[in-house]
Every structure is written in structure tokens, then in C-alpha cells.
Amino acid sequence: MRDGIYWSLAALAMVSPVAVSAQEEDTQLWVYAVASAPLGDRGTLSLDATARWREHARGDEQQTLRANLLHPIAEGVRIGGGGGLFETEGGDTEIRPHQEVDLKFGRFSARTRVEQRFFDGAERVEIRLRQLVRYALPISNGIKMSIDGEYLGLAQTRERTSEGARDQWRARLIASADVSGAVTLGVGYLAIHTPQPGREDQLNHVPQLHLTSRF
């Protein structure tokens, strides 16, 4: 329990500087449905669908569908990739393949992901690097808390002359509970800080709901 308090304070420490520096804020709600199953020789296939309601895009919310395949290559190391389809109610579409490496050591895990983002009408493909670090703490039978921080940086923008935001920082706290041997429910809070050159930084408050099924 002492560890749980320590890591909760660490999560708040990640979020607090974000809240202080950001000026432009909105609130969103993301709902996840995730299914995972073993595939082939020790591989794992996961499918997730999300609905995202966004305060600053009211009436133009987003739905996503993504697949990911991971395969272990050594103790605590998995590699893989997949892709996703991101659609807004206004008709904007993004296709997003990705590649990643996952590492796990004790209660800590890390994910390095490279995404290629294809947007309607864009001059070229956008390339983004995502680096995530997570700490997971079992609380009691079937109940777990996890804390993660993630950096997202653009290696190539979709427009050649873009002067928009290139970096983003995320901090998240999630509590989850196993309701059966194959189903987990979770609730979380995600803070997204986006520095914007020449403008006020942006802060998104994102409550999250998760439903995960394992086959």
C-alpha cells in the first residue's frame, strides 16, 4: 500500500506541471472496448474500438478501430505492429499503421511505437514517435492500479510548412478490476498537454472507461 501511495503521488507530480502551464482546456470522454486472444506461436492479437466525445469538437466526435499483433522474442520482450482507422462524424478519416517494441521488467513496462498517419487531403504521411512507461501495482485479488506517462513527438508533419504543435505529453492513472476470468473493467483519468508555439498551450482532461475481454 505504501508503494501505491508513492506512485499515486508520482502521477500527480506528472500532471501538476501540465495543469499549471496550460491555458486552453477542454474535457473529453473516451470509452474503450478491447478484445485479445492468443494467435499462432505465442503471439497475441488485440482489437480495440473507442468512442471519443470531445468538448471542442462537439458534433464532430471520433470513433476508432485498431488491431495490434505482438510476438515474444525474448524474456520480457515483444515486437509487433498493426494499424487503425480513425473516423470523425464530420467525415475526416485517418489511416494509421504502426510498429512497436514492448518491454516488461517486474511491475514496470515500456512501449516504443512508430506511427505513420495518413490523413485526407494531406501533403504527405505524418510520422510520429510514441514512448510510454508504465508502473502497475496489484492492490488485491483482481484489482490493480496503473500509472503511465507518454511522450509523443512528430518526426515528420503532414504539411511541409507546418508550424503547429510537434510534441505532446500524457499522464494517466487507471484502476481496473477483474469481474471474471476473462473480463476486466477499468476507469481512469488522462491528462494531455500539448505545447503550441505562438499560442496558449492546450490541456485536455479525459476521463476513460475500459472493458477488456480475453479469449
Side-chain angles (χ1 to χ4, degrees), residues 83-133:
L85 177 65
F86 295 70
E87 191 87 27
T88 66
E89 293 181 2
D92 293 328
T93 301
E94 176 191 347
I95 299 173
R96 188 190 300 179
H98 68 265
Q99 306 79 42
E100 70 178 74
V101 178
D102 286 14
L103 305 175
K104 183 173 176 58
F105 34 98
R107 293 176 178 174
F108 286 92
S109 59
R111 183 192 71 198
T112 301
R113 174 178 287 181
V114 179
E115 299 175 326
Q116 297 80 43
R117 309 179 69 190
F118 296 87
F119 295 92
D120 291 338
E123 292 184 14
R124 58 184 182 178
V125 60
E126 183 173 282
I127 300 175
R128 183 167 70 176
L129 169 67
R130 303 180 60 163
Q131 180 61 64
L132 179 143
V133 177

mmCIF file of all heavy atoms in Angstrom, residues 83-133:
data_model
loop_
_atom_site.group_PDB
_atom_site.id
_atom_site.type_symbol
_atom_site.label_atom_id
_atom_site.label_comp_id
_atom_site.label_asym_id
_atom_site.label_seq_id
_atom_site.Cartn_x
_atom_site.Cartn_y
_atom_site.Cartn_z
ATOM 1 N N GLY A 83 -2.453 -1.627 -37.113
ATOM 2 C CA GLY A 83 -2.972 -0.441 -37.778
ATOM 3 C C GLY A 83 -4.334 -0.071 -37.244
ATOM 4 O O GLY A 83 -4.977 -0.848 -36.528
ATOM 5 N N GLY A 84 -4.747 1.139 -37.585
ATOM 6 C CA GLY A 84 -6.025 1.618 -37.096
ATOM 7 C C GLY A 84 -6.726 2.510 -38.094
ATOM 8 O O GLY A 84 -6.100 3.078 -39.003
ATOM 9 N N LEU A 85 -8.031 2.635 -37.910
ATOM 10 C CA LEU A 85 -8.872 3.526 -38.701
ATOM 11 C C LEU A 85 -9.539 4.494 -37.739
ATOM 12 O O LEU A 85 -10.192 4.076 -36.779
ATOM 13 C CB LEU A 85 -9.920 2.723 -39.460
ATOM 14 C CG LEU A 85 -10.933 3.530 -40.283
ATOM 15 C CD1 LEU A 85 -10.230 4.265 -41.424
ATOM 16 C CD2 LEU A 85 -12.030 2.622 -40.830
ATOM 17 N N PHE A 86 -9.373 5.798 -37.984
ATOM 18 C CA PHE A 86 -9.908 6.848 -37.123
ATOM 19 C C PHE A 86 -10.864 7.701 -37.955
ATOM 20 O O PHE A 86 -10.464 8.272 -38.979
ATOM 21 C CB PHE A 86 -8.773 7.705 -36.553
ATOM 22 C CG PHE A 86 -7.857 6.958 -35.640
ATOM 23 C CD1 PHE A 86 -6.988 5.988 -36.134
ATOM 24 C CD2 PHE A 86 -7.848 7.212 -34.278
ATOM 25 C CE1 PHE A 86 -6.138 5.291 -35.290
ATOM 26 C CE2 PHE A 86 -7.005 6.521 -33.418
ATOM 27 C CZ PHE A 86 -6.149 5.554 -33.931
ATOM 28 N N GLU A 87 -12.103 7.808 -37.517
ATOM 29 C CA GLU A 87 -13.142 8.469 -38.305
ATOM 30 C C GLU A 87 -13.893 9.459 -37.431
ATOM 31 O O GLU A 87 -14.269 9.149 -36.299
ATOM 32 C CB GLU A 87 -14.121 7.423 -38.840
ATOM 33 C CG GLU A 87 -15.089 7.950 -39.876
ATOM 34 C CD GLU A 87 -14.526 7.896 -41.285
ATOM 35 O OE1 GLU A 87 -13.677 7.035 -41.551
ATOM 36 O OE2 GLU A 87 -14.950 8.734 -42.097
ATOM 37 N N THR A 88 -14.098 10.683 -37.942
ATOM 38 C CA THR A 88 -14.915 11.662 -37.235
ATOM 39 C C THR A 88 -16.294 11.720 -37.876
ATOM 40 O O THR A 88 -16.480 11.357 -39.044
ATOM 41 C CB THR A 88 -14.290 13.067 -37.262
ATOM 42 O OG1 THR A 88 -14.290 13.552 -38.611
ATOM 43 C CG2 THR A 88 -12.868 13.047 -36.718
ATOM 44 N N GLU A 89 -17.261 12.213 -37.095
ATOM 45 C CA GLU A 89 -18.621 12.309 -37.615
ATOM 46 C C GLU A 89 -18.699 13.283 -38.788
ATOM 47 O O GLU A 89 -19.606 13.196 -39.612
ATOM 48 C CB GLU A 89 -19.570 12.727 -36.495
ATOM 49 C CG GLU A 89 -19.729 11.669 -35.424
ATOM 50 C CD GLU A 89 -20.695 12.080 -34.325
ATOM 51 O OE1 GLU A 89 -21.266 13.187 -34.439
ATOM 52 O OE2 GLU A 89 -20.888 11.305 -33.395
ATOM 53 N N GLY A 90 -17.739 14.217 -38.861
ATOM 54 C CA GLY A 90 -17.715 15.160 -39.970
ATOM 55 C C GLY A 90 -17.167 14.575 -41.256
ATOM 56 O O GLY A 90 -17.131 15.260 -42.282
ATOM 57 N N GLY A 91 -16.699 13.319 -41.212
ATOM 58 C CA GLY A 91 -16.213 12.660 -42.420
ATOM 59 C C GLY A 91 -14.714 12.631 -42.585
ATOM 60 O O GLY A 91 -14.209 12.098 -43.578
ATOM 61 N N ASP A 92 -13.938 13.201 -41.644
ATOM 62 C CA ASP A 92 -12.475 13.146 -41.736
ATOM 63 C C ASP A 92 -11.988 11.744 -41.376
ATOM 64 O O ASP A 92 -12.432 11.162 -40.381
ATOM 65 C CB ASP A 92 -11.839 14.169 -40.797
ATOM 66 C CG ASP A 92 -12.127 15.598 -41.215
ATOM 67 O OD1 ASP A 92 -12.253 15.839 -42.429
ATOM 68 O OD2 ASP A 92 -12.235 16.466 -40.327
ATOM 69 N N THR A 93 -11.057 11.225 -42.175
ATOM 70 C CA THR A 93 -10.561 9.861 -41.983
ATOM 71 C C THR A 93 -9.048 9.871 -41.833
ATOM 72 O O THR A 93 -8.353 10.584 -42.544
ATOM 73 C CB THR A 93 -10.946 8.963 -43.174
ATOM 74 O OG1 THR A 93 -12.367 8.936 -43.306
ATOM 75 C CG2 THR A 93 -10.431 7.540 -42.971
ATOM 76 N N GLU A 94 -8.562 9.067 -40.891
ATOM 77 C CA GLU A 94 -7.125 8.838 -40.741
ATOM 78 C C GLU A 94 -6.873 7.345 -40.740
ATOM 79 O O GLU A 94 -7.542 6.586 -40.030
ATOM 80 C CB GLU A 94 -6.602 9.437 -39.431
ATOM 81 C CG GLU A 94 -5.137 9.136 -39.179
ATOM 82 C CD GLU A 94 -4.676 9.493 -37.763
ATOM 83 O OE1 GLU A 94 -5.422 10.187 -37.054
ATOM 84 O OE2 GLU A 94 -3.565 9.062 -37.387
ATOM 85 N N ILE A 95 -5.887 6.907 -41.531
ATOM 86 C CA ILE A 95 -5.425 5.518 -41.516
ATOM 87 C C ILE A 95 -4.047 5.517 -40.880
ATOM 88 O O ILE A 95 -3.178 6.300 -41.279
ATOM 89 C CB ILE A 95 -5.385 4.936 -42.936
ATOM 90 C CG1 ILE A 95 -6.793 4.943 -43.547
ATOM 91 C CG2 ILE A 95 -4.802 3.524 -42.931
ATOM 92 C CD1 ILE A 95 -6.840 4.542 -44.997
ATOM 93 N N ARG A 96 -3.838 4.624 -39.883
ATOM 94 C CA ARG A 96 -2.635 4.727 -39.072
ATOM 95 C C ARG A 96 -1.980 3.360 -38.821
ATOM 96 O O ARG A 96 -2.263 2.692 -37.823
ATOM 97 C CB ARG A 96 -2.973 5.372 -37.728
ATOM 98 C CG ARG A 96 -1.749 5.702 -36.862
ATOM 99 C CD ARG A 96 -2.150 6.109 -35.450
ATOM 100 N NE ARG A 96 -3.004 7.277 -35.417
ATOM 101 C CZ ARG A 96 -3.493 7.807 -34.290
ATOM 102 N NH1 ARG A 96 -3.209 7.236 -33.116
ATOM 103 N NH2 ARG A 96 -4.283 8.866 -34.333
ATOM 104 N N PRO A 97 -1.088 2.895 -39.703
ATOM 105 C CA PRO A 97 -0.280 1.712 -39.379
ATOM 106 C C PRO A 97 0.784 2.066 -38.338
ATOM 107 O O PRO A 97 1.165 3.230 -38.190
ATOM 108 C CB PRO A 97 0.351 1.330 -40.717
ATOM 109 C CG PRO A 97 0.348 2.590 -41.517
ATOM 110 C CD PRO A 97 -0.830 3.398 -41.056
ATOM 111 N N HIS A 98 1.285 1.045 -37.615
ATOM 112 C CA HIS A 98 2.311 1.296 -36.606
ATOM 113 C C HIS A 98 3.170 0.060 -36.405
ATOM 114 O O HIS A 98 2.780 -1.060 -36.757
ATOM 115 C CB HIS A 98 1.676 1.713 -35.271
ATOM 116 C CG HIS A 98 0.911 0.608 -34.602
ATOM 117 N ND1 HIS A 98 -0.446 0.434 -34.751
ATOM 118 C CD2 HIS A 98 1.323 -0.395 -33.769
ATOM 119 C CE1 HIS A 98 -0.847 -0.610 -34.046
ATOM 120 N NE2 HIS A 98 0.214 -1.135 -33.447
ATOM 121 N N GLN A 99 4.343 0.287 -35.820
ATOM 122 C CA GLN A 99 5.268 -0.777 -35.415
ATOM 123 C C GLN A 99 5.688 -0.479 -33.978
ATOM 124 O O GLN A 99 5.783 0.686 -33.584
ATOM 125 C CB GLN A 99 6.507 -0.816 -36.325
ATOM 126 C CG GLN A 99 6.193 -0.926 -37.815
ATOM 127 C CD GLN A 99 5.773 0.399 -38.443
ATOM 128 O OE1 GLN A 99 6.355 1.436 -38.156
ATOM 129 N NE2 GLN A 99 4.740 0.366 -39.291
ATOM 130 N N GLU A 100 5.952 -1.537 -33.186
ATOM 131 C CA GLU A 100 6.304 -1.277 -31.794
ATOM 132 C C GLU A 100 7.167 -2.368 -31.178
ATOM 133 O O GLU A 100 7.232 -3.506 -31.667
ATOM 134 C CB GLU A 100 5.053 -1.085 -30.939
ATOM 135 C CG GLU A 100 4.215 -2.323 -30.716
ATOM 136 C CD GLU A 100 3.025 -2.018 -29.799
ATOM 137 O OE1 GLU A 100 2.066 -1.363 -30.264
ATOM 138 O OE2 GLU A 100 3.056 -2.447 -28.634
ATOM 139 N N VAL A 101 7.835 -1.980 -30.094
ATOM 140 C CA VAL A 101 8.598 -2.891 -29.237
ATOM 141 C C VAL A 101 8.104 -2.691 -27.813
ATOM 142 O O VAL A 101 8.013 -1.561 -27.327
ATOM 143 C CB VAL A 101 10.112 -2.593 -29.308
ATOM 144 C CG1 VAL A 101 10.874 -3.517 -28.361
ATOM 145 C CG2 VAL A 101 10.627 -2.742 -30.734
ATOM 146 N N ASP A 102 7.759 -3.803 -27.138
ATOM 147 C CA ASP A 102 7.297 -3.761 -25.751
ATOM 148 C C ASP A 102 8.311 -4.439 -24.843
ATOM 149 O O ASP A 102 8.808 -5.527 -25.170
ATOM 150 C CB ASP A 102 5.947 -4.479 -25.593
ATOM 151 C CG ASP A 102 4.788 -3.675 -26.168
ATOM 152 O OD1 ASP A 102 5.058 -2.711 -26.910
ATOM 153 O OD2 ASP A 102 3.633 -4.022 -25.883
ATOM 154 N N LEU A 103 8.595 -3.799 -23.709
ATOM 155 C CA LEU A 103 9.499 -4.363 -22.713
ATOM 156 C C LEU A 103 8.765 -4.459 -21.379
ATOM 157 O O LEU A 103 7.977 -3.574 -21.036
ATOM 158 C CB LEU A 103 10.739 -3.473 -22.533
ATOM 159 C CG LEU A 103 11.549 -3.141 -23.782
ATOM 160 C CD1 LEU A 103 12.664 -2.164 -23.432
ATOM 161 C CD2 LEU A 103 12.118 -4.411 -24.414
ATOM 162 N N LYS A 104 9.047 -5.522 -20.630
ATOM 163 C CA LYS A 104 8.441 -5.688 -19.306
ATOM 164 C C LYS A 104 9.504 -6.174 -18.335
ATOM 165 O O LYS A 104 10.209 -7.148 -18.609
ATOM 166 C CB LYS A 104 7.272 -6.680 -19.351
ATOM 167 C CG LYS A 104 6.563 -6.848 -18.017
ATOM 168 C CD LYS A 104 5.329 -7.705 -18.165
ATOM 169 C CE LYS A 104 4.660 -7.962 -16.806
ATOM 170 N NZ LYS A 104 4.287 -6.701 -16.118
ATOM 171 N N PHE A 105 9.617 -5.471 -17.193
ATOM 172 C CA PHE A 105 10.572 -5.863 -16.165
ATOM 173 C C PHE A 105 9.919 -5.606 -14.813
ATOM 174 O O PHE A 105 9.806 -4.489 -14.351
ATOM 175 C CB PHE A 105 11.901 -5.106 -16.316
ATOM 176 C CG PHE A 105 11.761 -3.698 -16.837
ATOM 177 C CD1 PHE A 105 11.763 -2.616 -15.981
ATOM 178 C CD2 PHE A 105 11.612 -3.473 -18.203
ATOM 179 C CE1 PHE A 105 11.633 -1.324 -16.463
ATOM 180 C CE2 PHE A 105 11.488 -2.180 -18.690
ATOM 181 C CZ PHE A 105 11.490 -1.104 -17.810
ATOM 182 N N GLY A 106 9.466 -6.699 -14.193
ATOM 183 C CA GLY A 106 8.745 -6.582 -12.922
ATOM 184 C C GLY A 106 7.424 -5.848 -13.108
ATOM 185 O O GLY A 106 6.651 -6.147 -14.017
ATOM 186 N N ARG A 107 7.191 -4.864 -12.256
ATOM 187 C CA ARG A 107 5.954 -4.085 -12.344
ATOM 188 C C ARG A 107 6.036 -2.951 -13.357
ATOM 189 O O ARG A 107 5.042 -2.281 -13.620
ATOM 190 C CB ARG A 107 5.598 -3.511 -10.963
ATOM 191 C CG ARG A 107 5.216 -4.597 -9.951
ATOM 192 C CD ARG A 107 4.963 -3.997 -8.580
ATOM 193 N NE ARG A 107 4.546 -5.024 -7.632
ATOM 194 C CZ ARG A 107 4.375 -4.819 -6.341
ATOM 195 N NH1 ARG A 107 4.611 -3.610 -5.837
ATOM 196 N NH2 ARG A 107 3.990 -5.788 -5.546
ATOM 197 N N PHE A 108 7.217 -2.750 -13.922
ATOM 198 C CA PHE A 108 7.388 -1.706 -14.925
ATOM 199 C C PHE A 108 7.277 -2.302 -16.335
ATOM 200 O O PHE A 108 7.658 -3.448 -16.578
ATOM 201 C CB PHE A 108 8.758 -1.030 -14.782
ATOM 202 C CG PHE A 108 8.869 -0.116 -13.605
ATOM 203 C CD1 PHE A 108 9.349 -0.586 -12.390
ATOM 204 C CD2 PHE A 108 8.487 1.216 -13.706
ATOM 205 C CE1 PHE A 108 9.464 0.255 -11.292
ATOM 206 C CE2 PHE A 108 8.594 2.068 -12.625
ATOM 207 C CZ PHE A 108 9.081 1.589 -11.413
ATOM 208 N N SER A 109 6.772 -1.484 -17.249
ATOM 209 C CA SER A 109 6.767 -1.853 -18.658
ATOM 210 C C SER A 109 6.990 -0.593 -19.486
ATOM 211 O O SER A 109 6.781 0.527 -19.012
ATOM 212 C CB SER A 109 5.446 -2.532 -19.060
ATOM 213 O OG SER A 109 4.344 -1.668 -18.821
ATOM 214 N N ALA A 110 7.436 -0.790 -20.720
ATOM 215 C CA ALA A 110 7.691 0.333 -21.613
ATOM 216 C C ALA A 110 7.292 -0.073 -23.022
ATOM 217 O O ALA A 110 7.411 -1.242 -23.412
ATOM 218 C CB ALA A 110 9.167 0.744 -21.577
ATOM 219 N N ARG A 111 6.820 0.913 -23.773
ATOM 220 C CA ARG A 111 6.439 0.670 -25.164
ATOM 221 C C ARG A 111 7.007 1.779 -26.046
ATOM 222 O O ARG A 111 6.837 2.962 -25.759
ATOM 223 C CB ARG A 111 4.913 0.662 -25.317
ATOM 224 C CG ARG A 111 4.445 0.332 -26.740
ATOM 225 C CD ARG A 111 2.975 0.616 -26.918
ATOM 226 N NE ARG A 111 2.727 2.060 -26.928
ATOM 227 C CZ ARG A 111 1.529 2.620 -26.727
ATOM 228 N NH1 ARG A 111 0.487 1.857 -26.475
ATOM 229 N NH2 ARG A 111 1.392 3.940 -26.762
ATOM 230 N N THR A 112 7.680 1.378 -27.119
ATOM 231 C CA THR A 112 8.148 2.311 -28.136
ATOM 232 C C THR A 112 7.373 2.025 -29.416
ATOM 233 O O THR A 112 7.430 0.910 -29.938
ATOM 234 C CB THR A 112 9.652 2.156 -28.394
ATOM 235 O OG1 THR A 112 10.375 2.391 -27.176
ATOM 236 C CG2 THR A 112 10.127 3.141 -29.447
ATOM 237 N N ARG A 113 6.651 3.024 -29.901
ATOM 238 C CA ARG A 113 5.798 2.832 -31.084
ATOM 239 C C ARG A 113 6.087 3.921 -32.115
ATOM 240 O O ARG A 113 6.238 5.086 -31.765
ATOM 241 C CB ARG A 113 4.319 2.853 -30.694
ATOM 242 C CG ARG A 113 3.355 2.794 -31.873
ATOM 243 C CD ARG A 113 1.904 2.778 -31.417
ATOM 244 N NE ARG A 113 1.539 1.491 -30.828
ATOM 245 C CZ ARG A 113 0.317 1.213 -30.362
ATOM 246 N NH1 ARG A 113 -0.631 2.136 -30.391
ATOM 247 N NH2 ARG A 113 0.060 0.019 -29.858
ATOM 248 N N VAL A 114 6.157 3.521 -33.386
ATOM 249 C CA VAL A 114 6.275 4.462 -34.503
ATOM 250 C C VAL A 114 5.007 4.353 -35.339
ATOM 251 O O VAL A 114 4.622 3.247 -35.751
ATOM 252 C CB VAL A 114 7.511 4.176 -35.374
ATOM 253 C CG1 VAL A 114 7.582 5.153 -36.540
ATOM 254 C CG2 VAL A 114 8.789 4.252 -34.536
ATOM 255 N N GLU A 115 4.360 5.491 -35.583
ATOM 256 C CA GLU A 115 3.105 5.523 -36.327
ATOM 257 C C GLU A 115 3.272 6.291 -37.636
ATOM 258 O O GLU A 115 3.959 7.314 -37.672
ATOM 259 C CB GLU A 115 2.009 6.210 -35.509
ATOM 260 C CG GLU A 115 1.687 5.528 -34.198
ATOM 261 C CD GLU A 115 0.691 6.304 -33.368
ATOM 262 O OE1 GLU A 115 0.713 7.562 -33.421
ATOM 263 O OE2 GLU A 115 -0.114 5.661 -32.670
ATOM 264 N N GLN A 116 2.641 5.774 -38.694
ATOM 265 C CA GLN A 116 2.526 6.502 -39.955
ATOM 266 C C GLN A 116 1.057 6.914 -40.093
ATOM 267 O O GLN A 116 0.172 6.055 -40.153
ATOM 268 C CB GLN A 116 2.953 5.639 -41.135
ATOM 269 C CG GLN A 116 4.417 5.200 -41.095
ATOM 270 C CD GLN A 116 4.659 4.011 -40.179
ATOM 271 O OE1 GLN A 116 3.894 3.050 -40.173
ATOM 272 N NE2 GLN A 116 5.712 4.073 -39.389
ATOM 273 N N ARG A 117 0.823 8.217 -40.177
ATOM 274 C CA ARG A 117 -0.549 8.737 -40.143
ATOM 275 C C ARG A 117 -0.912 9.315 -41.512
ATOM 276 O O ARG A 117 -0.316 10.288 -41.960
ATOM 277 C CB ARG A 117 -0.685 9.788 -39.044
ATOM 278 C CG ARG A 117 -0.168 9.316 -37.694
ATOM 279 C CD ARG A 117 -0.289 10.405 -36.638
ATOM 280 N NE ARG A 117 -1.676 10.677 -36.300
ATOM 281 C CZ ARG A 117 -2.072 11.718 -35.555
ATOM 282 N NH1 ARG A 117 -1.174 12.605 -35.136
ATOM 283 N NH2 ARG A 117 -3.347 11.888 -35.274
ATOM 284 N N PHE A 118 -1.904 8.700 -42.158
ATOM 285 C CA PHE A 118 -2.376 9.135 -43.468
ATOM 286 C C PHE A 118 -3.709 9.868 -43.290
ATOM 287 O O PHE A 118 -4.696 9.277 -42.837
ATOM 288 C CB PHE A 118 -2.550 7.925 -44.389
ATOM 289 C CG PHE A 118 -1.267 7.204 -44.698
ATOM 290 C CD1 PHE A 118 -0.797 6.206 -43.848
ATOM 291 C CD2 PHE A 118 -0.535 7.520 -45.833
ATOM 292 C CE1 PHE A 118 0.381 5.531 -44.131
ATOM 293 C CE2 PHE A 118 0.655 6.840 -46.130
ATOM 294 C CZ PHE A 118 1.112 5.854 -45.277
ATOM 295 N N PHE A 119 -3.739 11.161 -43.640
ATOM 296 C CA PHE A 119 -4.925 11.990 -43.486
ATOM 297 C C PHE A 119 -5.498 12.356 -44.852
ATOM 298 O O PHE A 119 -4.755 12.537 -45.823
ATOM 299 C CB PHE A 119 -4.586 13.291 -42.741
ATOM 300 C CG PHE A 119 -4.154 13.104 -41.318
ATOM 301 C CD1 PHE A 119 -2.803 12.960 -41.011
ATOM 302 C CD2 PHE A 119 -5.082 13.086 -40.286
ATOM 303 C CE1 PHE A 119 -2.386 12.804 -39.702
ATOM 304 C CE2 PHE A 119 -4.675 12.919 -38.980
ATOM 305 C CZ PHE A 119 -3.328 12.782 -38.680
ATOM 306 N N ASP A 120 -6.817 12.529 -44.905
ATOM 307 C CA ASP A 120 -7.456 13.019 -46.126
ATOM 308 C C ASP A 120 -6.892 14.385 -46.500
ATOM 309 O O ASP A 120 -6.851 15.299 -45.670
ATOM 310 C CB ASP A 120 -8.976 13.159 -45.908
ATOM 311 C CG ASP A 120 -9.667 11.809 -45.762
ATOM 312 O OD1 ASP A 120 -9.101 10.806 -46.229
ATOM 313 O OD2 ASP A 120 -10.768 11.766 -45.180
ATOM 314 N N GLY A 121 -6.427 14.527 -47.742
ATOM 315 C CA GLY A 121 -6.001 15.824 -48.240
ATOM 316 C C GLY A 121 -4.641 16.297 -47.776
ATOM 317 O O GLY A 121 -4.240 17.419 -48.103
ATOM 318 N N ALA A 122 -3.911 15.503 -47.005
ATOM 319 C CA ALA A 122 -2.593 15.923 -46.514
ATOM 320 C C ALA A 122 -1.545 15.848 -47.621
ATOM 321 O O ALA A 122 -1.658 15.051 -48.563
ATOM 322 C CB ALA A 122 -2.161 15.051 -45.341
ATOM 323 N N GLU A 123 -0.499 16.675 -47.504
ATOM 324 C CA GLU A 123 0.566 16.681 -48.499
ATOM 325 C C GLU A 123 1.391 15.404 -48.456
ATOM 326 O O GLU A 123 1.902 14.943 -49.478
ATOM 327 C CB GLU A 123 1.488 17.881 -48.267
ATOM 328 C CG GLU A 123 0.857 19.229 -48.549
ATOM 329 C CD GLU A 123 1.857 20.355 -48.386
ATOM 330 O OE1 GLU A 123 3.077 20.087 -48.308
ATOM 331 O OE2 GLU A 123 1.427 21.516 -48.334
ATOM 332 N N ARG A 124 1.558 14.827 -47.275
ATOM 333 C CA ARG A 124 2.414 13.656 -47.133
ATOM 334 C C ARG A 124 2.022 12.931 -45.848
ATOM 335 O O ARG A 124 1.225 13.419 -45.042
ATOM 336 C CB ARG A 124 3.886 14.068 -47.081
ATOM 337 C CG ARG A 124 4.216 15.038 -45.958
ATOM 338 C CD ARG A 124 5.661 15.492 -46.003
ATOM 339 N NE ARG A 124 5.965 16.393 -44.890
ATOM 340 C CZ ARG A 124 7.170 16.905 -44.673
ATOM 341 N NH1 ARG A 124 8.178 16.612 -45.484
ATOM 342 N NH2 ARG A 124 7.388 17.714 -43.638
ATOM 343 N N VAL A 125 2.613 11.767 -45.660
ATOM 344 C CA VAL A 125 2.344 10.992 -44.456
ATOM 345 C C VAL A 125 2.994 11.674 -43.251
ATOM 346 O O VAL A 125 4.120 12.188 -43.341
ATOM 347 C CB VAL A 125 2.860 9.543 -44.608
ATOM 348 C CG1 VAL A 125 4.363 9.522 -44.866
ATOM 349 C CG2 VAL A 125 2.534 8.717 -43.372
ATOM 350 N N GLU A 126 2.273 11.700 -42.145
ATOM 351 C CA GLU A 126 2.840 12.201 -40.892
ATOM 352 C C GLU A 126 3.452 11.026 -40.132
ATOM 353 O O GLU A 126 2.863 9.944 -40.068
ATOM 354 C CB GLU A 126 1.742 12.859 -40.057
ATOM 355 C CG GLU A 126 2.226 13.477 -38.761
ATOM 356 C CD GLU A 126 1.121 14.250 -38.070
ATOM 357 O OE1 GLU A 126 0.834 15.386 -38.504
ATOM 358 O OE2 GLU A 126 0.535 13.712 -37.107
ATOM 359 N N ILE A 127 4.642 11.231 -39.549
ATOM 360 C CA ILE A 127 5.329 10.170 -38.806
ATOM 361 C C ILE A 127 5.472 10.609 -37.357
ATOM 362 O O ILE A 127 5.969 11.707 -37.074
ATOM 363 C CB ILE A 127 6.711 9.871 -39.408
ATOM 364 C CG1 ILE A 127 6.550 9.422 -40.866
ATOM 365 C CG2 ILE A 127 7.437 8.801 -38.596
ATOM 366 C CD1 ILE A 127 7.862 9.213 -41.593
ATOM 367 N N ARG A 128 5.020 9.758 -36.443
ATOM 368 C CA ARG A 128 5.024 10.123 -35.024
ATOM 369 C C ARG A 128 5.660 9.022 -34.184
ATOM 370 O O ARG A 128 5.421 7.838 -34.386
ATOM 371 C CB ARG A 128 3.592 10.394 -34.534
ATOM 372 C CG ARG A 128 3.530 10.854 -33.094
ATOM 373 C CD ARG A 128 2.155 11.418 -32.755
ATOM 374 N NE ARG A 128 1.127 10.387 -32.701
ATOM 375 C CZ ARG A 128 -0.137 10.633 -32.343
ATOM 376 N NH1 ARG A 128 -0.512 11.882 -32.060
ATOM 377 N NH2 ARG A 128 -1.017 9.660 -32.317
ATOM 378 N N LEU A 129 6.485 9.438 -33.230
ATOM 379 C CA LEU A 129 7.105 8.530 -32.263
ATOM 380 C C LEU A 129 6.358 8.637 -30.942
ATOM 381 O O LEU A 129 6.071 9.741 -30.464
ATOM 382 C CB LEU A 129 8.572 8.890 -32.049
ATOM 383 C CG LEU A 129 9.289 8.193 -30.883
ATOM 384 C CD1 LEU A 129 9.432 6.700 -31.166
ATOM 385 C CD2 LEU A 129 10.643 8.821 -30.610
ATOM 386 N N ARG A 130 6.048 7.476 -30.331
ATOM 387 C CA ARG A 130 5.381 7.448 -29.025
ATOM 388 C C ARG A 130 6.216 6.595 -28.065
ATOM 389 O O ARG A 130 6.519 5.438 -28.362
ATOM 390 C CB ARG A 130 3.969 6.873 -29.144
ATOM 391 C CG ARG A 130 3.102 7.618 -30.129
ATOM 392 C CD ARG A 130 1.711 7.032 -30.235
ATOM 393 N NE ARG A 130 0.997 7.056 -28.965
ATOM 394 C CZ ARG A 130 -0.334 6.911 -28.871
ATOM 395 N NH1 ARG A 130 -1.059 6.746 -29.960
ATOM 396 N NH2 ARG A 130 -0.925 6.937 -27.690
ATOM 397 N N GLN A 131 6.570 7.178 -26.935
ATOM 398 C CA GLN A 131 7.341 6.458 -25.914
ATOM 399 C C GLN A 131 6.556 6.469 -24.607
ATOM 400 O O GLN A 131 6.309 7.525 -24.029
ATOM 401 C CB GLN A 131 8.707 7.091 -25.701
ATOM 402 C CG GLN A 131 9.548 6.382 -24.662
ATOM 403 C CD GLN A 131 9.838 4.930 -25.058
ATOM 404 O OE1 GLN A 131 10.503 4.673 -26.057
ATOM 405 N NE2 GLN A 131 9.345 3.969 -24.274
ATOM 406 N N LEU A 132 6.165 5.282 -24.146
ATOM 407 C CA LEU A 132 5.343 5.153 -22.943
ATOM 408 C C LEU A 132 6.074 4.330 -21.891
ATOM 409 O O LEU A 132 6.726 3.331 -22.218
ATOM 410 C CB LEU A 132 4.007 4.494 -23.285
ATOM 411 C CG LEU A 132 3.023 4.259 -22.138
ATOM 412 C CD1 LEU A 132 1.584 4.500 -22.624
ATOM 413 C CD2 LEU A 132 3.128 2.840 -21.576
ATOM 414 N N VAL A 133 5.946 4.740 -20.621
ATOM 415 C CA VAL A 133 6.463 3.983 -19.474
ATOM 416 C C VAL A 133 5.327 3.818 -18.489
ATOM 417 O O VAL A 133 4.598 4.778 -18.188
ATOM 418 C CB VAL A 133 7.660 4.698 -18.812
ATOM 419 C CG1 VAL A 133 8.124 3.923 -17.587
ATOM 420 C CG2 VAL A 133 8.801 4.871 -19.802
#
